[in-house]
Amino acid sequence: MLNRREFLHLAGAGTVGLLAGQAGGLWPMPHAVADVGFKPDVELTLKATVSENAIMPGQPTLVWTYQGRLLKGDAWHLDGSGSSYLGPTIRVRRGQKVRIHFDNDLPEESIIHWHGLHVPAEMDGHPRDVIATGRKFVYEFEVRNRAGTYWYHPHPHARTGPQVYGGLAGLFIVTDDEEQSLMLPRDEFDLPLVIQDRTFDENNGLVYLTHHMERMTGFLGNRILVNGQPRYTHKVVTRPYRLRILNGSNSRIYNLAWADGRPLTVIGSDGGLLSSPLVRPSVILGPAERMEVWADFNGMGKGDEATLVSRELDLGPLSGMTGPGGMHGATAGGRFLPNGAPFAVARFEISHVEKSSLRLPGQLTEFSPEDTDRAANRNAPRQFHIAMNHMRGVINNRVFEMTRVADDEVVTLGTREVWEFINRGGMPALPHPMHVHGLQFRVLGRLGALYSGYLDEGWKDTVLLMPGERVRLMMRFEDYDGLFLYHCHNLEHEDMGMMRNYYVRAA
Ligand code: C2O
Ligand code: CU
Ligand code: CU
C-alpha cells in the first residue's frame, strides 16, 4: 500500500486529487481506537450531545454541548465547573501527551478541531474526518504549543456555524515553565471570558439564520453572552486579574475597551504572551481571536464597578444593517444589534478590598523579530485573494473541496514562507477573519488599514481583514506534513466554502 507521501509524488503537480474516493486505501481510517503505544499524561472523554441549559430567565434553552469526563490526570486538567452550555475548559502543560475520546451523540456528523494547536494533520479535526452519530474518534497528540489560550469547536463542512452556535465550543489552555516563572495572576484570578452573541425567541429557543441573505454578513445575535450568561457580572477583589478573552462569536467583531476610558493593558494574543505588555485605548477582536488583559482593580472601592464594553465601530455597510443582509437581520426578538454597535460586555463588581503584591512584569517573554530573509519566497509572497462571489465564499476563485489542493497550495515541510491575504473589498465589502490551521504565524505588516485597533502582535492564528486590506504573515511549516485548512472564521462564510486545504509536503 502506498503511503500518502508516495502518493503525492505519483500524482505530481497540478490540482492534486489527494485521496479523493480512495480515502480508505491511502489514508488511515478515522482513529476509532486508542494506540496502545501512546502513553497519555491526560486522558478524557468529550461527548457532544443535545441538552438543556438555563440561559435566560424562564424556560431552559435547547443547546448542543460538550460534556467532559476525566479518565486520567487530576481535576485541574478538566474544569467543568461552569453551569453554562460551553464545553469544559481543558488545561494542560506543554509537553504533556493528551488522549481525548470524542463521542458523537448529536443527530448529525461532527468532528472536533483544536483551534490554534500545532498537532499532526490526522489529529486536527479536518472535515473529511467527520464521524456519524454514535461513532467515536480518538485524538492522541503531544502539546507542543507555547502557554496560551486556545480553544476547541466542531468542524464539519457546511455545518460549523450552526454547531458552534448551538453551543459547541470550549477553551484549551496551555501552560509552560516560562509562564509559570512569571508572577501572573492564577487560579480564580485567571479568568476566561468567552464572548458570543445569540438571539432567543419568545420561548427562549436559540434562533439561527432566518434569512439566507444573513449569511453574507454572517449571523449576528441581538444579545451578548459571556461564558454562556447574559448580563455577565463577576465579583472581584482589588487586585490584578488575568482576563483571557475569546471572541467565540460566529461573525461579530468587538471593539473592546474599559467604559471609564482607562486603557487596556494587553499581555497576550492568540498564541500566548506578548514580549511585553501593550497599552491600548481599545482592541478590535475578530471572530476566533484571543486577547489577554492585565486588569488591575486596585484603587477601587467596595461596590465599585468596572465595565468592559465594545465601543462603536463604524462598519458602515458591513454592519449587517444596510448591507446585503439588510433589515432581514432583525430576527425573532425584534431588536437588531448591527455589527459595530456599542454595548456592555462584562461587569466587574468589587466585593472587597484586598492587598496584593503582584506587579505587571515589564518583560513577559522573549521572541525575536521575524527575519524575512529566512523565508523561501521573501520577494514573492504567496497570495490569497478572499472574496464573496454570488453567495459563494472563494479564495483565489476557488471554493472548498474536501480533499483537494491546488499546486499553489502545496508548501514544503521545514521551510518558512511569507503569505499574503488580500481582501479586495468590492461588492459586497465584508470583513474576513482569516485563520490558518496547524501553526502559529507572525503578522509582518498590514496595508490599507482601515482601523488602528487590531491586535496583530505576538503569535497569531487568526487575523482580521477589513475590506481593502492586505496582511503579510510569516509562516513556518514545522514537524507535521499533511493536509491542513485555512479559511475565513466568519463561520457562515466558512460554511459557504470560504475555506481551502494547503498541503505540507515532506521535504
Ligand atoms: Cu477555529 Cu478551522 O477553526
Ligand atoms: Cu483552527
Ligand atoms: Cu469571510
Side-chain angles (χ1 to χ4, degrees):
M1 196 171 74
L2 295 174
N3 66 31
R4 58 199 138 97
R5 230 165 270 175
E6 288 160 344
F7 176 68
L8 191 72
H9 275 140
L10 290 176
T15 298
V16 184
L18 275 176
L19 329 167
Q22 311 164 58
L26 292 166
W27 201 279
M29 290 301 284
H31 292 238
V33 286
D35 170 0
V36 287
F38 182 89
K39 298 270 172 273
D41 302 295
V42 182
E43 183 167 7
L44 51 99
T45 301
L46 282 180
K47 180 165 90 175
T49 191
V50 180
S51 177
E52 282 191 335
N53 189 258
I55 303 174
M56 305 286 284
Q59 271 175 264
T61 300
L62 202 67
V63 293
W64 288 15
T65 188
Y66 289 118
Q67 291 172 350
R69 202 159 54 88
L70 191 69
L71 304 176
K72 183 174 184 204
D74 52 61
W76 174 82
H77 294 297
L78 193 67
D79 175 7
S81 60
S83 56
S84 91
Y85 59 79
L86 288 169
T89 296
I90 299 170
R91 282 195 190 82
V92 294
R93 296 183 75 95
R94 182 179 196 169
Q96 280 187 318
K97 292 203 170 90
V98 183
R99 178 184 287 151
I100 299 170
H101 303 260
F102 168 47
D103 290 323
N104 183 9
D105 190 34
L106 301 172
E108 63 184 50
E109 291 182 329
S110 194
I111 192 72
I112 304 179
H113 166 59
W114 316 100
H115 182 119
L117 291 192
H118 179 53
V119 296
E122 350 24 303
M123 296 297 152
D124 189 54
H126 189 285
R128 71 182 146 86
D129 291 328
V130 288
I131 52 165
T133 307
R135 293 298 167 105
K136 180 178 167 68
F137 189 102
V138 182
Y139 294 90
E140 289 169 330
F141 55 83
E142 182 189 316
V143 178
R144 297 204 177 170
N145 283 69
R146 304 174 66 224
T149 309
Y150 308 94
W151 63 302
Y152 61 95
H153 61 75
H155 222 302
H157 181 45
R159 294 290 296 162
T160 296
Q163 290 196 5
V164 172
Y165 185 72
L168 295 167
L171 291 171
F172 194 109
I173 293 176
V174 178
T175 187
D176 61 15
D177 294 342
E178 188 195 28
E179 180 191 62
Q180 292 294 320
S181 71
L182 288 165
M183 295 296 286
L184 294 175
R186 288 174 198 205
D187 307 320
E188 73 260 44
F189 308 111
D190 178 346
L191 187 65
L193 301 173
V194 179
I195 312 176
Q196 298 176 308
D197 55 341
R198 295 290 183 268
T199 297
F200 297 88
D201 64 20
E202 56 285 358
N203 301 314
N204 286 346
L206 284 172
V207 178
Y208 188 48
L209 298 173
T210 53
H211 191 280
H212 74 282
M213 290 304 279
E214 271 183 89
R215 298 165 76 203
M216 292 294 264
T217 46
F219 174 84
L220 297 166
N222 63 14
R223 251 172 221 286
I224 305 303
L225 308 187
V226 172
N227 296 345
Q229 298 165 37
R231 289 194 217 88
Y232 178 87
T233 306
H234 193 76
K235 290 210 187 317
V236 295
V237 297
T238 53
R239 47 161 288 157
Y241 282 69
R242 174 181 188 173
L243 306 181
R244 302 177 183 256
I245 302 174
L246 160 67
N247 178 353
S249 310
N250 284 28
S251 305
R252 188 175 290 280
I253 297 165
Y254 300 88
N255 186 19
L256 299 171
W258 290 114
D260 65 2
R262 77 189 138 128
L264 284 168
T265 302
V266 183
I267 58 170
S269 61
D270 299 350
L273 295 173
L274 305 179
S275 53
S276 52
L278 269 180
V279 176
R280 288 286 191 75
S282 66
V283 168
I284 298 176
L285 213 59
E289 286 189 293
R290 284 87 75 204
M291 160 171 75
E292 296 198 22
V293 170
W294 176 277
D296 193 349
F297 302 110
N298 186 29
M300 298 178 70
K302 188 177 156 73
D304 286 355
E305 257 186 35
T307 306
L308 186 71
V309 297
S310 186
R311 288 203 192 290
E312 176 145 35
L313 192 61
D314 182 12
L315 294 169
L318 322 175
S319 65
M321 194 59 161
T322 53
M327 293 303 293
H328 297 300
T331 40
R335 195 167 66 101
F336 177 56
L337 195 59
N339 213 350
F343 44 77
V345 173
R347 291 195 171 74
F348 301 93
E349 210 180 278
I350 309 294
S351 64
H352 65 271
V353 175
E354 198 178 290
K355 279 256 166 301
S356 156
S357 57
L358 279 194
R359 293 273 166 279
L360 175 65
Q363 167 110 34
L364 297 162
T365 178
E366 226 170 301
F367 45 82
S368 45
E370 273 303 343
D371 179 3
T372 46
D373 283 352
R374 296 181 65 181
N377 64 342
R378 61 185 168 279
N379 298 319
R382 201 181 278 271
Q383 293 187 321
F384 301 92
H385 296 261
I386 322 296
M388 191 59 80
N389 202 342
H390 299 104
M391 296 298 284
R392 292 187 341 156
V394 293
I395 301 177
N396 285 343
N397 270 318
R398 305 176 185 114
V399 291
F400 181 61
E401 299 169 276
M402 191 63 84
T403 52
R404 284 181 174 261
V405 283
D407 54 2
D408 57 5
E409 293 173 315
V410 178
V411 301
T412 305
L413 187 65
T415 64
R416 300 184 186 194
E417 286 195 7
V418 181
W419 280 23
E420 186 172 50
F421 284 126
I422 302 161
N423 182 347
R424 276 266 174 82
M427 273 307 285
L430 299 165
H432 301 298
M434 296 305 297
H435 168 53
V436 184
H437 280 220
L439 49 76
Q440 293 284 322
F441 53 74
R442 300 286 301 279
V443 179
L444 296 171
R446 192 185 273 271
L447 262 180
L450 289 186
Y451 304 96
S452 57
Y454 306 108
L455 185 55
D456 288 341
E457 284 78 8
W459 292 95
K460 297 280 294 173
D461 54 54
T462 310
V463 62
L464 180 60
L465 273 103
M466 293 292 187
E469 293 182 347
R470 359 177 118 202
V471 285
R472 282 202 179 170
L473 313 172
M474 182 64 130
M475 318 287 289
R476 298 180 185 198
F477 308 105
E478 291 172 331
D479 306 322
Y480 308 120
D481 61 337
L483 203 62
F484 293 93
L485 297 166
Y486 64 103
H487 62 87
C488 179
H489 220 289
N490 175 317
L491 297 182
E492 285 68 47
H493 292 183
E494 174 187 330
D495 285 347
M496 287 162 86
M498 197 174 272
M499 171 157 79
R500 292 287 303 172
N501 289 307
Y502 73 98
Y503 187 81
V504 183
R505 177 179 50 196

